[in-house]
Amino acid sequence: MELGARIPTRRQLLSAIAKAGGTAALYQAMTTLGHAAETQFAGPPNLSGARKGASVIVLGAGLAGMLAAHELTKAGYQVRILEYQGRAGGRNWSLRGGDSYTELGGATQKVGFQPGNYLNPGPWRIPHHHRTLLHYCKQFGVALEPFIQFNHNTYVHSSTAFGGKPVRFNAAAADFEGNIAELLAKSVNQKALDESVTLEDRERLLEALRGWGMLDKDYKYVSSLRTSGHRGFERPPGGGVNGAPIASPLYDFHDVLDPQVWTSMAFFMGHEMQTTMFQPVGGMDMIGKAFARQVQQLITYNAKVTKIAQDDKGVSVSYQDTATGQTATAAADWCVCTIPLGVLGQIDTQVTDEMMAAIKAVPYSGQVKIGLEMRRRFWEEDDYIYGGHSFTDQEIALVSYPNNNLFGDGPAVLLGAFARDLGAYRLAGMTPEQRIETALQQGSVIHPGQYRKEFMTGASVAWSRVPWTLGCCARWNEDTRKEHYQTLVAMDRRIVLAGEHASYVGCWMEGALLSSIDAITRLHKRAMEA
Amino acid sequence: MELGARIPTRRQLLSAIAKAGGTAALYQAMTTLGHAAETQFAGPPNLSGARKGASVIVLGAGLAGMLAAHELTKAGYQVRILEYQGRAGGRNWSLRGGDSYTELGGATQKVGFQPGNYLNPGPWRIPHHHRTLLHYCKQFGVALEPFIQFNHNTYVHSSTAFGGKPVRFNAAAADFEGNIAELLAKSVNQKALDESVTLEDRERLLEALRGWGMLDKDYKYVSSLRTSGHRGFERPPGGGVNGAPIASPLYDFHDVLDPQVWTSMAFFMGHEMQTTMFQPVGGMDMIGKAFARQVQQLITYNAKVTKIAQDDKGVSVSYQDTATGQTATAAADWCVCTIPLGVLGQIDTQVTDEMMAAIKAVPYSGQVKIGLEMRRRFWEEDDYIYGGHSFTDQEIALVSYPNNNLFGDGPAVLLGAFARDLGAYRLAGMTPEQRIETALQQGSVIHPGQYRKEFMTGASVAWSRVPWTLGCCARWNEDTRKEHYQTLVAMDRRIVLAGEHASYVGCWMEGALLSSIDAITRLHKRAMEA
């Protein structure tokens, strides 16, 4: 991502304010100027007064398409949605017992989960600052519950540290912070930073390092009840005669520097990964279903788009009914196309060469998710883990613990893999059965006692093999953004693209919705001018 | 707290293992040896075979007393509970609309909260490792929901930093980590730490600092889209034409070193403060009520204990009915006394001088909690804060956001103060009305636009003025532990004390329960030997 162009101007302004009014005025101004804004969502689009009879065809009944149809219908447009699948929601999807799923290559999985259990192959968590999605969830009556994103008590596993054994996140993180604090305090006390830090700030810094990093009076990070208060005890405090706690020994500094430790710590500070997060009660597809209820009568299912044509008067979309094989054409004044780029690039689409180049320029990621149904919640009962993720450097990348029905009895579904990059590539090349076996083998490293013993059934989705997306989501980089992004989001005569790929919030439902609002707002403006 | 005595022995053992089998064997052994145990709870006490007719009188129907009564009854003892209040649960307590509460000094508050809203004046959150409490919650059918302890998006406020304005936790924490990382990287690159860190670890450390601290290729922490990815954006990523994000400027290093910043960061790493946490659905007193259902028929309410006598044969407890004024005596073979120490010290109790000295040696803390009912959830709707705490150096110490009914419409109750030490002392000295006014004034610094405007009604509990505890909970220190703890928890002939004050998990329900289990286990053993 590239740095925005407005910073210098704003900074000059703030600098002038600081000179005139001091620090308090500066921070006041920063607040007033919208410092640390959290969303580009400014409410539902304000569309109104569509010309009588004006029509829009929407391609794709995912969230972007359904939101466009919903808002355009409200504005007075005649809207129709063509959807490839027999189901609305797109990547907003949950697999449940009884579902059947056939991937590219032909392998079919019949999902055997118990009633109430599910795997969310696509989106599975909602950040608190995804205001567009939260707005429509509330408006459309989708009940949300906390998604436990951050859990101090999960495991961090590296095959090259801690003897290859998983360690608790709190212990590893505490030791990382303690060692960092001790080393920096040592530098300060050795006068190594006297030129960089004022005398007053050196004192503040030492106090901070001692407090934050749990250093002793000599600025050392040592095994003690104090450090155990962050990293966990050998024997925790209890009651009565034997209530006194016992301190735990520290991990080796070399191990604590393992990338699995600090990437886990940094992960939780990521913009989209920060708490508080949410999930719909009952599975992620509750959102897609709620959107679908708003636009149900507009959707033609099983419609495979084969050609998108346009001229000065309108748009004409040819499609085939995948159930009957019959072909048809749908016409409209305008088109909102939310078809994933990898699929769209293979359709005969009448856009400029620049637009087609943009469509073809953006590769899609191919994550693999695997759901494993276990007989009981051993992670809760035996390991005291309620939600959150145990990260590993194995191909599965993580084991993530369900956030629904905490403390429940009976079977529950673990996310046994959320593989990316090479790990995903390898898992996608396996049969569904081999994927499960790999997930069991690698997950057993985290939970050796119970993983295979409690396993009942599993399901996997390799996004590179999903027929209707050919990938998980768009992976822009700095170069493709510069060369193609504005072309991709611009209206191409009567066609405008929308979806997470037409946003800077790639791979998130929020990106799809913000893109959709921006696209239909511009479409409406163009339609009013036409 | 003092360091346990077992560490050297265990370390010697581990050291021997490491020498013999290397690192993998070491970590295997640490796991086998119960490294980082998380609880002293080993299941419900295994009592059985009480002598026919053996009896126990339990003083206090808080959690410790009710658990003792429940388990002793199961073991075959004849049990009776005397309770001072007209309600079971003790400090496990919720105030709701319609409740009336009179504090020492005579001030009476009639609580005006809307139906469904509540303030938990005492315990309000349950750590995942409080296994005893979680065990009995499940056994007694108490439904739990997540307590959002850690929320990156709350505020940190210091009157002496950031111009006195609240800043978001994520921005302050990211800048703290970034500055720490930059300074330490500088030291490493200036060779200041060459004697402390091996060459290999210096490389690992630099990589870690760059990744964890969001440093650029020159190991600088600067305003950029990358650092904004941790601290928040000036304009966050969006969709469509204007989707590109804009980086936010950094805070001043001096401000970032403010103790409010690093104490907040360290707070969340505290043993009892780590995620995942829980609360009962419907208010904390759902736990007390569930315990009370198990022992309801054993409780005599409104019984003010005036004398506790014992001899070689048994225990005799004199009490007065606070409703009728009538006096009575209850006799039993044994006594489990859970009366808070400040109250117990004023009762004529027949124990050794050493025990009485122990009872009188431990001061109680005097926290003040204030609940403020607001017309709407402006913290969610306007500030995107769902649960968690905004910390301040003002007397109120924090504003904490409700975890029940997230996204709900209508009034909700904020925790407008959780004052300790001097702040609590000052608030306790005020009338209930003055406390509310102070909470509104100080909370308005965090939420200036809405606090007074949305306020409806409030309630406060100053624990130093609670008639039945005379304080919030026991505050042991290293000296009192050494001199008095083992005396306090030891059986004094036929009397044994239990409660959070008789544990190392002070101020937590878990401490009360673990203490109770330990006390009745020893009582049972003594009774069987007698």
Side-chain angles (χ1 to χ4, degrees):
Chain A
M1 295 191 287
E2 58 280 356
L3 210 69
R6 270 166 45 185
I7 294 182
T9 313
R10 187 174 165 282
R11 278 209 163 155
Q12 287 160 2
L13 177 60
L14 289 173
S15 170
I17 292 168
K19 272 185 200 152
T23 314
L26 175 64
Y27 282 107
Q28 182 63 57
M30 285 167 77
T31 307
T32 310
L33 288 169
H35 178 63
E38 298 198 58
T39 176
Q40 291 204 17
F41 180 61
N46 186 13
L47 316 176
S48 65
R51 287 168 201 258
K52 200 177 162 69
S55 60
V56 181
I57 185 154
V58 174
L59 305 181
L63 297 194
M66 291 194 284
L67 180 63
H70 172 70
E71 292 292 350
L72 288 169
T73 303
K74 272 173 47 189
Y77 290 90
Q78 313 259 337
V79 181
R80 212 185 139 181
I81 308 177
L82 298 181
E83 167 54 44
Y84 172 76
Q85 296 193 78
R87 161 186 82 76
R91 283 163 278 184
N92 181 288
W93 181 28
S94 302
L95 280 172
R96 296 189 175 74
D99 285 348
S100 179
Y101 163 61
T102 302
E103 63 184 30
L104 283 182
T108 294
Q109 299 173 65
K110 292 193 189 303
V111 183
F113 297 152
Q114 298 293 303
N117 286 343
Y118 56 82
L119 165 68
N120 295 322
W124 53 315
R125 51 190 167 188
I126 306 172
H128 61 271
H129 52 82
H130 281 187
R131 306 307 303 177
T132 324
L133 183 57
L134 292 173
H135 169 87
Y136 285 102
C137 280
K138 178 143 189 171
Q139 185 175 326
F140 297 161
V142 179
L144 302 177
E145 63 191 357
F147 178 99
I148 311 290
Q149 167 77 349
F150 186 46
N151 182 341
H152 288 88
N153 204 40
T154 53
Y155 292 104
V156 174
H157 169 254
S158 167
S159 50
T160 59
F162 308 105
K165 302 280 172 197
V167 297
R168 297 280 188 178
F169 174 83
N170 57 359
D175 286 1
F176 182 88
E177 294 180 349
N179 277 291
I180 296 289
E182 178 181 312
L183 286 173
L184 183 51
K186 186 173 213 167
S187 300
V188 172
N189 282 323
Q190 286 174 349
K191 323 257 175 232
L193 293 163
D194 283 10
E195 286 178 21
S196 311
V197 185
T198 67
L199 180 61
E200 185 194 353
D201 283 350
R202 288 202 295 276
E203 292 304 314
R204 279 164 79 89
L205 178 56
L206 284 173
E207 188 197 358
L209 293 172
R210 189 148 59 183
W212 168 73
M214 296 271 119
L215 306 185
D216 69 10
K217 61 178 171 39
D218 302 320
Y219 298 99
K220 298 287 182 201
Y221 182 71
V222 298
S223 171
S224 69
L225 289 176
R226 183 149 182 271
T227 55
S228 292
H230 277 195
R231 71 187 310 290
F233 293 87
E234 173 66 25
R235 183 178 77 176
V241 173
N242 294 308
I246 297 175
S248 59
L250 308 180
Y251 290 131
D252 185 75
F253 178 54
H254 181 80
D255 284 342
V256 167
L257 291 177
D258 188 89
Q260 282 297 113
V261 175
W262 55 264
T263 54
S264 295
M265 295 173 72
F267 171 84
F268 294 115
M269 281 296 284
H271 183 58
E272 245 91 25
M273 296 304 165
Q274 295 181 6
T275 57
T276 309
M277 302 191 86
F278 302 99
Q279 65 179 13
V281 177
M284 187 49 73
D285 65 353
M286 294 295 139
I287 294 179
K289 287 174 175 169
F291 273 67
R293 282 195 297 274
Q294 318 302 315
V295 295
Q296 197 61 61
Q297 72 289 356
L298 311 177
I299 307 176
T300 302
Y301 289 102
N302 303 314
K304 181 183 180 179
V305 172
T306 55
K307 185 175 179 179
I308 307 169
Q310 63 173 329
D311 59 22
D312 292 344
K313 302 264 175 56
V315 181
S316 166
V317 178
S318 306
Y319 64 97
Q320 184 176 38
D321 186 314
T322 57
T324 65
Q326 287 188 312
T327 58
T329 301
D333 297 332
W334 308 95
C335 174
V336 176
C337 176
T338 72
I339 298 173
L341 299 180
V343 177
L344 183 59
Q346 297 179 31
I347 294 172
D348 178 5
T349 305
Q350 208 168 342
V351 288
T352 61
D353 292 348
E354 290 73 26
M355 175 64 97
M356 189 46 77
I359 290 169
K360 296 195 170 176
V362 187
Y364 270 46
S365 58
Q367 284 90 322
V368 175
K369 271 190 181 170
I370 302 177
L372 303 174
E373 187 168 63
M374 299 288 177
R375 236 165 236 109
R376 66 181 182 93
R377 296 175 178 250
F378 58 79
W379 51 93
E380 297 182 3
E381 294 166 3
D382 306 349
D383 293 279
Y384 314 153
I385 293 172
Y386 300 87
H389 326 287
S390 287
F391 293 112
T392 169
D393 60 359
Q394 301 173 97
E395 287 151 341
I396 56 173
L398 57 65
V399 171
S400 184
Y401 308 94
N403 301 287
N404 62 322
N405 198 22
L406 296 175
F407 301 100
D409 294 314
V413 174
L414 280 179
L415 182 63
F418 187 16
R420 269 152 292 190
D421 306 326
L422 282 178
Y425 185 78
R426 195 169 154 243
L427 284 163
M430 299 178 182
T431 65
E433 294 74 19
Q434 289 169 333
R435 285 177 210 146
I436 302 291
E437 171 56 28
T438 303
L440 289 175
Q441 184 191 315
Q442 297 184 2
S444 293
V445 175
I446 316 285
H447 297 280
Q450 312 103 330
Y451 224 66
R452 283 193 187 274
K453 193 172 123 201
E454 305 290 355
F455 172 71
M456 296 170 67
T457 184
S460 68
V461 171
W463 279 95
S464 56
R465 290 181 177 272
V466 173
W468 36 273
T469 58
L470 305 178
C472 189
C473 46
R475 284 289 184 212
W476 291 91
N477 60 34
E478 242 177 88
D479 292 337
T480 51
R481 285 277 188 209
K482 201 172 287 177
E483 195 172 343
H484 297 294
Y485 180 79
Q486 288 299 339
T487 303
L488 189 95
V489 299
M491 285 202 72
D492 187 298
R493 281 190 287 171
R494 292 179 165 267
I495 300 171
V496 66
L497 270 50
E500 55 83 21
H501 50 273
S503 83
Y504 275 78
V505 200
C507 299
W508 291 89
M509 294 179 283
E510 181 76 1
L513 298 180
L514 281 171
S515 148
S516 181
I517 289 175
D518 182 66
I520 62 177
T521 303
R522 286 180 288 119
L523 181 152
H524 178 65
K525 188 157 178 277
R526 183 77 62 90
M528 298 300 284
E529 292 164 359
Chain B
M1 293 192 288
E2 58 281 354
L3 210 69
R6 270 167 46 186
I7 293 183
T9 313
R10 187 173 166 283
R11 276 206 164 158
Q12 287 161 2
L13 176 61
L14 289 173
S15 169
I17 292 167
K19 272 185 199 150
T23 314
L26 175 65
Y27 282 107
Q28 181 63 57
M30 285 167 77
T31 307
T32 309
L33 289 170
H35 179 61
E38 298 197 57
T39 177
Q40 290 203 16
F41 179 61
N46 186 14
L47 316 176
S48 64
R51 285 169 201 259
K52 199 175 162 70
S55 60
V56 180
I57 184 153
V58 175
L59 306 182
L63 297 194
M66 291 194 284
L67 180 63
H70 172 71
E71 292 292 351
L72 288 170
T73 302
K74 272 173 48 187
Y77 290 91
Q78 313 259 336
V79 181
R80 214 186 138 181
I81 309 178
L82 299 181
E83 166 55 43
Y84 172 75
Q85 296 193 79
R87 161 187 82 75
R91 283 163 277 184
N92 181 289
W93 181 28
S94 301
L95 280 172
R96 296 191 175 73
D99 286 346
S100 179
Y101 163 61
T102 302
E103 63 184 30
L104 282 183
T108 294
Q109 300 174 66
K110 293 194 189 303
V111 183
F113 297 153
Q114 297 294 302
N117 286 343
Y118 56 82
L119 166 68
N120 296 322
W124 53 313
R125 50 190 167 187
I126 305 172
H128 61 271
H129 52 80
H130 281 187
R131 306 308 302 175
T132 324
L133 183 57
L134 292 173
H135 170 86
Y136 285 102
C137 280
K138 179 143 189 171
Q139 185 176 325
F140 297 161
V142 180
L144 301 177
E145 64 190 357
F147 177 99
I148 310 291
Q149 167 78 348
F150 186 45
N151 181 340
H152 289 87
N153 204 40
T154 52
Y155 291 103
V156 174
H157 169 255
S158 167
S159 50
T160 59
F162 308 106
K165 302 279 173 196
V167 297
R168 296 279 188 177
F169 174 83
N170 57 359
D175 286 1
F176 181 88
E177 294 179 351
N179 277 292
I180 296 289
E182 179 181 313
L183 286 173
L184 184 51
K186 187 173 213 167
S187 301
V188 172
N189 283 323
Q190 287 174 350
K191 322 257 176 234
L193 292 162
D194 282 11
E195 287 179 19
S196 312
V197 185
T198 67
L199 180 61
E200 184 193 354
D201 283 350
R202 288 203 294 276
E203 292 305 314
R204 277 164 80 91
L205 178 56
L206 285 172
E207 187 197 359
L209 293 172
R210 187 147 60 182
W212 168 73
M214 295 272 118
L215 306 185
D216 69 11
K217 61 178 172 39
D218 302 320
Y219 298 100
K220 298 286 181 202
Y221 182 70
V222 297
S223 171
S224 68
L225 289 175
R226 182 148 181 272
T227 55
S228 293
H230 277 195
R231 71 186 310 290
F233 294 87
E234 172 67 25
R235 184 178 76 177
V241 173
N242 294 308
I246 297 175
S248 59
L250 308 180
Y251 290 132
D252 186 74
F253 178 54
H254 181 78
D255 284 342
V256 167
L257 291 178
D258 188 88
Q260 282 296 113
V261 175
W262 54 264
T263 54
S264 295
M265 295 173 72
F267 171 83
F268 294 115
M269 281 296 283
H271 183 57
E272 245 91 25
M273 297 303 166
Q274 295 182 5
T275 57
T276 309
M277 302 191 87
F278 302 99
Q279 65 179 13
V281 176
M284 188 48 74
D285 65 353
M286 293 296 139
I287 293 179
K289 287 174 176 169
F291 273 68
R293 282 196 298 274
Q294 317 303 315
V295 295
Q296 197 62 62
Q297 71 289 355
L298 311 178
I299 307 177
T300 302
Y301 289 102
N302 304 313
K304 180 183 178 179
V305 172
T306 53
K307 185 174 179 180
I308 306 169
Q310 64 173 328
D311 59 23
D312 291 345
K313 303 264 174 57
V315 181
S316 167
V317 178
S318 306
Y319 65 97
Q320 184 177 39
D321 187 314
T322 56
T324 65
Q326 288 188 312
T327 58
T329 301
D333 298 332
W334 308 94
C335 174
V336 176
C337 176
T338 73
I339 298 173
L341 298 181
V343 177
L344 182 59
Q346 297 178 30
I347 294 173
D348 179 5
T349 304
Q350 208 169 342
V351 288
T352 60
D353 292 348
E354 291 73 25
M355 174 64 97
M356 189 47 76
I359 290 168
K360 295 197 169 175
V362 188
Y364 269 47
S365 59
Q367 284 91 321
V368 175
K369 272 190 180 170
I370 302 177
L372 302 173
E373 188 168 62
M374 299 288 178
R375 235 164 237 111
R376 67 182 181 91
R377 296 175 178 249
F378 58 81
W379 51 94
E380 297 183 3
E381 294 166 2
D382 305 350
D383 293 278
Y384 314 153
I385 293 173
Y386 300 87
H389 325 287
S390 287
F391 294 112
T392 170
D393 60 359
Q394 301 173 98
E395 288 151 340
I396 57 173
L398 56 65
V399 171
S400 184
Y401 309 93
N403 300 287
N404 61 323
N405 199 22
L406 297 175
F407 301 100
D409 293 315
V413 173
L414 280 180
L415 183 64
F418 186 16
R420 270 151 293 188
D421 306 326
L422 283 177
Y425 186 77
R426 194 169 155 244
L427 284 163
M430 299 178 182
T431 65
E433 293 75 19
Q434 289 168 334
R435 285 177 210 146
I436 303 290
E437 172 55 29
T438 303
L440 289 174
Q441 184 191 315
Q442 297 184 1
S444 294
V445 176
I446 316 286
H447 296 281
Q450 313 105 329
Y451 224 67
R452 282 193 187 274
K453 195 173 121 202
E454 305 290 357
F455 172 71
M456 296 171 67
T457 184
S460 67
V461 170
W463 279 95
S464 57
R465 290 181 177 274
V466 173
W468 37 274
T469 57
L470 306 178
C472 190
C473 45
R475 282 291 184 211
W476 292 90
N477 61 33
E478 241 178 88
D479 292 336
T480 51
R481 286 277 190 210
K482 201 172 286 178
E483 195 173 343
H484 297 293
Y485 180 78
Q486 288 299 339
T487 303
L488 189 95
V489 299
M491 284 201 74
D492 188 298
R493 281 189 289 170
R494 291 179 165 266
I495 300 171
V496 66
L497 269 51
E500 56 83 21
H501 49 273
S503 83
Y504 275 77
V505 200
C507 298
W508 291 88
M509 295 179 283
E510 181 75 1
L513 298 180
L514 281 172
S515 148
S516 181
I517 289 175
D518 181 66
I520 61 177
T521 302
R522 285 181 289 120
L523 183 152
H524 178 64
K525 189 156 176 277
R526 183 78 62 91
M528 298 299 283
E529 292 163 359

